[in-house]
């Protein structure tokens, strides 16, 4: 792994990754590159934290400075992801709806567990429900848990007699519920199965007296991999 750092001024550059020191070097203004080797304990990825410290320059009337750069990098998800395929189908109310499932990415002799939920789309629209995404949870970016503590906020500018200021930024986002209440009878069904060694499975639902669209959400996993799929199926009486 090669880390590229763009420094706005010369100074001492320190790089850490997953709470471990990578390198410390003197750098000039411009682009710097540092190499690092991946570690198994990084899990799904790690943060690279680069800190540049600029010394005091009394001749230029410049206080000491510090700049921080942060970047997340993740692992290749393909080696830990199952490809889940669900075929679209059509079924009448009051019958058995069979949903074939095909898994990809299994090693020979390896099996997986499958959980499928079929829920009325009207219910999902009412709460703006998002399909489950276990791969984003287990293989996605983690929150940075490290803290930075120093005395830069207490530095006194000897040339102006004022205390130094820290400059930070951030953003926030909100969410709201949306959607209309479904006018018809709502339904939610749930099943779980073990996938066969060839990666195939068939899930059967007993459809109640319901007409509309159901969203089928499938999640598959084993000890080392996880996957998901979403497909909409139509439930209605046949048109004669």
């Amino acid at each position: 792994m090669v880390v590229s750092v763009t420094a706005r001024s010369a100074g001492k550059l320190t790089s850490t990754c997953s709470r471990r020191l990578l390198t410390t070097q003197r750098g000039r203004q411009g682009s710097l590159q540092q190499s690092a080797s991946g570690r198994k304990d990084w899990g799904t990825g790690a943060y690279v934290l680069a800190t540049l410290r600029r010394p005091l320059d009394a001749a230029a009337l410049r206080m000491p400075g510090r700049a921080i750069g942060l970047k997340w990098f993740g692992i290749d998800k393909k080696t830990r992801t199952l490809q889940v395929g669900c075929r679209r189908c059509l079924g009448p109310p009051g019958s058995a709806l069979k949903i074939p499932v095909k898994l990809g990415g299994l090693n020979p002799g390896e099996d997986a567990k499958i959980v499928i939920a079929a829920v009325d789309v009207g219910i999902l629209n009412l709460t703006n429900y998002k399909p489950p995404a276990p791969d984003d949870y287990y293989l996605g970016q983690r929150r940075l848990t490290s803290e930075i503590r120093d005395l830069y906020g207490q530095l006194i500018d000897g040339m102006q007699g004022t205390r130094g200021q820290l400059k930070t930024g951030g953003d926030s986002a909100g969410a709201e519920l949306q959607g209309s209440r479904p006018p018809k009878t709502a339904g939610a069904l749930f099943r779980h199965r073990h996938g066969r060694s060839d990666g195939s499975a068939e899930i059967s639902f007993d459809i109640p007296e319901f007409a509309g669209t159901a969203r089928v959400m499938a999640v598959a996993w084993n000890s080392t991999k996880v996957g998901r799929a979403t497909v909409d199926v139509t439930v209605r009486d046949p048109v004669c």
Side-chain angles (χ1 to χ4, degrees):
M1 179 183 68
V2 178
V3 180
S4 297
V5 180
T6 301
R8 301 181 62 180
S9 62
K12 185 178 181 180
L13 178 65
T14 302
S15 297
T16 60
C17 185
S18 188
R19 300 183 181 181
R20 295 178 182 272
L21 178 65
L22 292 181
T23 57
T24 298
Q25 66 183 75
R26 294 282 179 179
R28 299 180 180 180
Q29 181 179 359
S31 180
L32 303 173
Q33 288 189 343
Q34 298 174 329
S35 60
S37 300
R39 298 174 57 93
K40 292 183 178 180
D41 59 356
W42 288 355
T44 60
Y47 284 95
V48 175
L49 177 66
T51 305
L52 179 69
R53 295 175 176 85
R54 182 190 63 194
L56 171 70
D57 191 340
L61 301 179
R62 188 179 64 192
M63 287 281 289
R66 178 198 62 185
I68 298 176
L70 183 67
K71 182 65 176 179
W72 163 269
F73 70 91
I75 64 170
D76 184 7
K77 294 184 179 181
K78 293 182 179 179
T79 59
R80 301 190 182 183
T81 302
L82 293 174
Q83 292 77 44
V84 183
C86 293
R87 193 174 63 192
R88 292 178 179 270
C89 52
L90 176 67
S95 64
L97 179 64
K98 296 182 179 180
I99 303 175
V101 180
K102 185 67 176 179
L103 302 180
L106 291 173
N107 298 323
E110 188 179 28
D111 60 359
K113 296 180 180 180
I114 305 171
V115 170
I116 287 190
V119 185
D120 179 8
V121 172
I123 298 177
L124 303 179
N125 291 339
L126 182 64
T127 59
N128 194 25
Y129 180 82
K130 303 299 181 183
D135 52 335
D136 292 341
Y137 177 81
Y138 289 107
L139 306 178
Q141 181 175 350
R142 301 300 187 190
R143 185 182 67 177
L144 180 65
T145 57
S146 301
E147 295 182 356
I148 300 174
R149 298 186 181 185
D150 53 36
L151 301 177
Y152 269 78
Q154 301 180 20
L155 289 177
I156 301 298
D157 188 346
M159 293 165 282
Q160 299 184 20
T162 59
R163 174 173 292 186
Q165 296 181 352
L166 294 178
K167 298 180 180 180
T168 61
D171 55 14
S172 61
E176 60 180 6
L177 301 181
Q178 61 182 10
S180 302
R181 184 178 296 276
K184 54 186 177 296
T185 302
L189 304 172
F190 179 85
R191 294 288 187 276
H192 66 82
R193 291 289 187 275
H194 285 274
R196 293 187 289 268
S197 58
D198 61 352
S200 63
E202 186 176 76
I203 312 297
S204 179
F205 290 101
D206 294 329
I207 302 299
E209 292 300 324
F210 164 81
T213 302
R215 182 155 299 157
V216 175
M217 296 167 285
V219 173
W221 76 95
N222 58 18
S223 59
T224 59
K225 301 176 183 179
V226 67
R228 59 185 167 106
T230 303
V231 65
D232 290 348
V233 299
T234 302
V235 179
R236 69 183 183 189
D237 289 317
V239 178
C240 299

